[in-house]
Amino acid sequence: MDESTAKPKVAVHKFSSCDGCQLAFLDMGEDLLTLSAMVDIVHFAEAGMLDENTPVDVAFVEGSLNTRHDLERIQAIRKNSRFLVTIGACATAGGLQALRNFTDADAWHSAVYATPEYLDSLTTASPIRSAVHVDLELWGCPVNTRQVTAAVRALLSGVTPAAEQDKVCMECKRRQAVCVMVAHGTPCMGPVTRTGCGALCPSFERGCYACYGPAENPNTDALSHWFEGLGLLPEQLREQYHGINSQAEPFTAAGNRYRK
């Protein structure tokens, strides 16, 4: 095929994660066929394509960095990619793995493994942006198909993808969902979390878990005051912020105020 007519190349890479964000691709259904007509997916282990080191136009990366080998891999991926896009909470904010950043990881290793010196683990679990330049971050646990499709179309068209900035509270208003904090006294991270899920949990009378990361200008001080009024203890307040997106700076700082 002539180089001028060749389809753009796309790769999907996995680091420490549950694979849920990669499934956002596979869950596209017929849209995946449309995507494959637009691009050439050269590496995607979940779908069977294996060519990790080929240069690509867009590299999607799921998962956090936890080993020295991870650091070497992500540097190579960055070098071989025109655009690097992180997908999901693990890649953008460390994910659940980053909860170990608040503990003594070496003590855990010694307690679990007979010879911990053979482990390649870093002292912390880190988001991808801590090691390389990231062109676009897609937040969510997991990301949704709409985000992935829109990102591919925008990047390949030379357009900056539009980022979700509304808070989950705004989505609740649009869905005419009753506020779980006001009506039921249920702790909810919706006032400081960006939308993307369609306010799924509040729609079923559950508090938001902050899956889509901090919204624009999150007022964590005001939300913490609300939580205190609901009777949450300091440890419970910390757990609200130090969850799926614990390494997102506004959440890290807010949770640290309640650490012993």
Side-chain angles (χ1 to χ4, degrees):
M1 180 180 291
D2 184 82
E3 190 171 306
S4 62
T5 61
K7 292 190 293 185
K9 291 182 170 60
V10 170
V12 183
H13 299 275
K14 170 186 165 57
F15 286 78
S16 296
S17 61
C18 71
D19 290 21
C21 291
Q22 293 179 80
L23 292 177
F25 284 87
L26 301 181
D27 286 345
M28 286 182 182
E30 292 186 4
D31 287 342
L32 183 58
L33 299 178
T34 302
L35 178 63
S36 63
M38 296 167 49
V39 302
D40 183 12
I41 304 176
V42 297
H43 175 76
F44 188 5
E46 191 89 358
M49 291 81 84
L50 296 173
D51 193 359
E52 184 175 30
N53 297 317
T54 189
V56 297
D57 294 282
V58 182
F60 289 95
V61 179
E62 176 194 71
S64 60
L65 304 173
N66 287 267
T67 68
R68 286 183 290 273
H69 178 59
D70 286 347
L71 296 178
E72 295 171 1
R73 279 186 61 212
I74 196 59
Q75 294 289 345
I77 291 169
R78 175 69 273 186
K79 182 179 180 181
N80 288 329
S81 307
R82 180 182 171 201
F83 297 110
L84 191 151
V85 181
T86 54
I87 55 174
C90 296
T92 56
L96 289 176
Q97 304 88 276
L99 292 177
R100 70 184 176 92
N101 297 1
F102 302 112
T103 65
D104 184 351
D106 290 336
W108 281 103
H109 293 161
S110 298
V112 174
Y113 297 97
T115 52
E117 61 269 21
Y118 291 108
L119 295 176
D120 184 34
S121 296
L122 300 172
T123 55
T124 60
S126 304
I128 301 300
R129 68 173 176 275
S130 68
V132 296
H133 172 71
V134 172
D135 298 293
L136 176 65
E137 293 181 322
L138 299 182
W139 295 74
C141 187
V143 292
N144 60 57
T145 295
R146 175 179 55 79
Q147 288 174 287
V148 173
T149 304
V152 172
R153 290 182 180 276
L155 289 172
L156 297 183
S157 299
V159 177
T160 301
E164 296 274 12
Q165 294 293 353
D166 275 354
K167 297 176 173 65
V168 172
C169 289
M170 297 301 296
E171 192 69 26
C172 282
K173 298 291 186 184
R174 287 190 284 265
R175 293 174 62 95
Q176 298 184 359
V178 174
C179 178
V180 296
M181 278 211 295
V182 173
H184 307 295
T186 301
C188 179
M189 291 287 286
V192 296
T193 301
R194 75 180 70 199
T195 189
C197 62
L200 181 62
C201 291
S203 297
F204 288 90
E205 299 185 356
R206 298 294 300 270
C208 169
Y209 292 95
C211 295
Y212 278 76
E216 189 175 26
N217 301 319
N219 190 342
T220 56
D221 288 340
L223 182 61
S224 296
H225 182 68
W226 257 94
F227 286 163
E228 290 171 353
L230 294 176
L232 269 67
L233 299 175
E235 181 68 12
Q236 293 171 311
L237 275 159
R238 183 188 63 79
E239 289 174 354
Q240 290 291 323
Y241 295 106
H242 288 175
I244 297 168
N245 284 296
S246 68
Q247 298 306 296
E249 196 281 329
F251 292 170
T252 304
N256 280 344
R257 287 197 291 271
Y258 297 96
R259 288 182 62 80
K260 292 180 180 179

